Amino acid sequence: PSVARGRKAEIRLDLVAPGEAAVVTLGIVTKEGSFPPQGTDVVDVPAEGVTSVDLTEAIRGEAAAITISSTAPVAAGARVVLRNPDIFGDLLFLAAASPLDAAAVVPDNRTTRDLETRLILSAPEQATSATVTGFSGGEEWNAGRVELSAESTQVLTIEPPRRKGKPVESYGLVITPDGAGPIYGVRMLDEEGPRGPLVTSFPLTVARLLATVPEAYPDVSVGTV
């Protein structure tokens, strides 16, 4: 996520090779396109060891995706340390995301005077798009549509509708990809105000919309044997 807004941030990527040593190639996918981070595009991870990579300058306050390819199995996670010189800070952890080939559902989102809900979506390979639908109190609304060119990242800030003169503060979201290409994303909450800065996010995952139903038999003896 973009965590600038006059705040100091540090972004680190931790790589672990649980077995053999690995040579890892990194890429940064931003709104303007994809590029290798200068000086840290190729990283050596020792066998059964951990390597930490500082990507603060490479990302430079923009929302971005990090692509990782490796010569051997590795696990990865990102840490974002956020500091406000006048107050305090927060720590955000990010895990690897899986591609969305069906709808993702985020049931609990908030928008208040101090709190924003944002979706960060990336298409590291080919152009694609996604439709976002909001729901609350038995009603639905069109929360936006994201058109992603190949090798790009975009941010959608959710602006819920108003009811009885007041904006809806708590709502759910459904993110439906069009299936044209792999799309990855996270939901982020970012709070300023007297309690902030506070941040949290998690990767979007495909919702379980189907259930396997056991086959039924028209023979009562099946249940009594």
Side-chain angles (χ1 to χ4, degrees):
S2 172
V3 290
R5 298 184 175 188
R7 304 173 293 192
K8 295 182 179 180
E10 178 184 345
I11 302 170
R12 303 194 71 88
L13 178 70
D14 297 321
L15 300 161
V16 56
E20 60 183 295
V23 178
V24 177
T25 302
L26 303 179
I28 306 296
V29 184
T30 68
K31 181 179 179 180
E32 289 75 23
S34 178
F35 62 90
Q38 185 176 2
T40 55
D41 55 326
V42 179
V43 181
D44 293 319
V45 185
E48 301 181 358
V50 177
T51 297
S52 183
V53 184
D54 188 345
L55 294 176
T56 307
E57 290 300 318
I59 294 179
R60 294 183 179 275
E62 288 187 291
I66 303 170
T67 60
I68 302 168
S69 60
S70 177
T71 59
V74 295
R79 292 176 290 150
V80 179
V81 181
L82 182 65
R83 299 185 182 90
N84 187 321
D86 300 324
I87 311 177
F88 47 83
D90 199 4
L91 181 63
L92 173 69
F93 292 96
L94 291 164
S98 300
L100 300 179
D101 54 9
V105 178
V106 185
D108 184 22
N109 306 277
R110 306 296 174 94
T111 297
T112 65
R113 182 182 62 182
D114 300 323
L115 179 62
E116 284 187 344
T117 292
R118 297 199 291 270
L119 296 175
I120 305 173
L121 301 172
S122 295
E125 297 179 16
Q126 63 190 78
T128 187
S129 61
T131 300
V132 182
T133 304
F135 60 91
S136 177
E139 299 180 5
E140 294 185 357
W141 71 88
N142 180 14
R145 181 173 175 81
V146 178
E147 300 283 349
L148 289 159
S149 57
E151 300 182 355
S152 70
T153 295
Q154 287 194 30
V155 180
L156 175 65
T157 300
I158 305 300
E159 298 181 2
R162 301 179 70 88
R163 289 186 186 150
K164 297 181 180 180
K166 297 181 179 180
V168 175
E169 292 188 353
S170 179
Y171 50 89
L173 293 172
V174 179
I175 300 93
T176 306
D178 67 4
I183 185 171
Y184 301 77
V186 298
R187 189 289 309 267
M188 180 182 180
L189 297 179
D190 192 344
E191 181 173 354
E192 285 288 353
R195 302 195 311 168
L198 298 172
V199 288
T200 186
S201 67
F202 63 87
L204 301 178
T205 58
V206 174
R208 297 183 62 182
L209 302 178
L210 300 176
T212 301
V213 179
E215 184 178 357
Y217 297 91
D219 187 346
V220 69
S221 65
V222 173
T224 58
V225 173

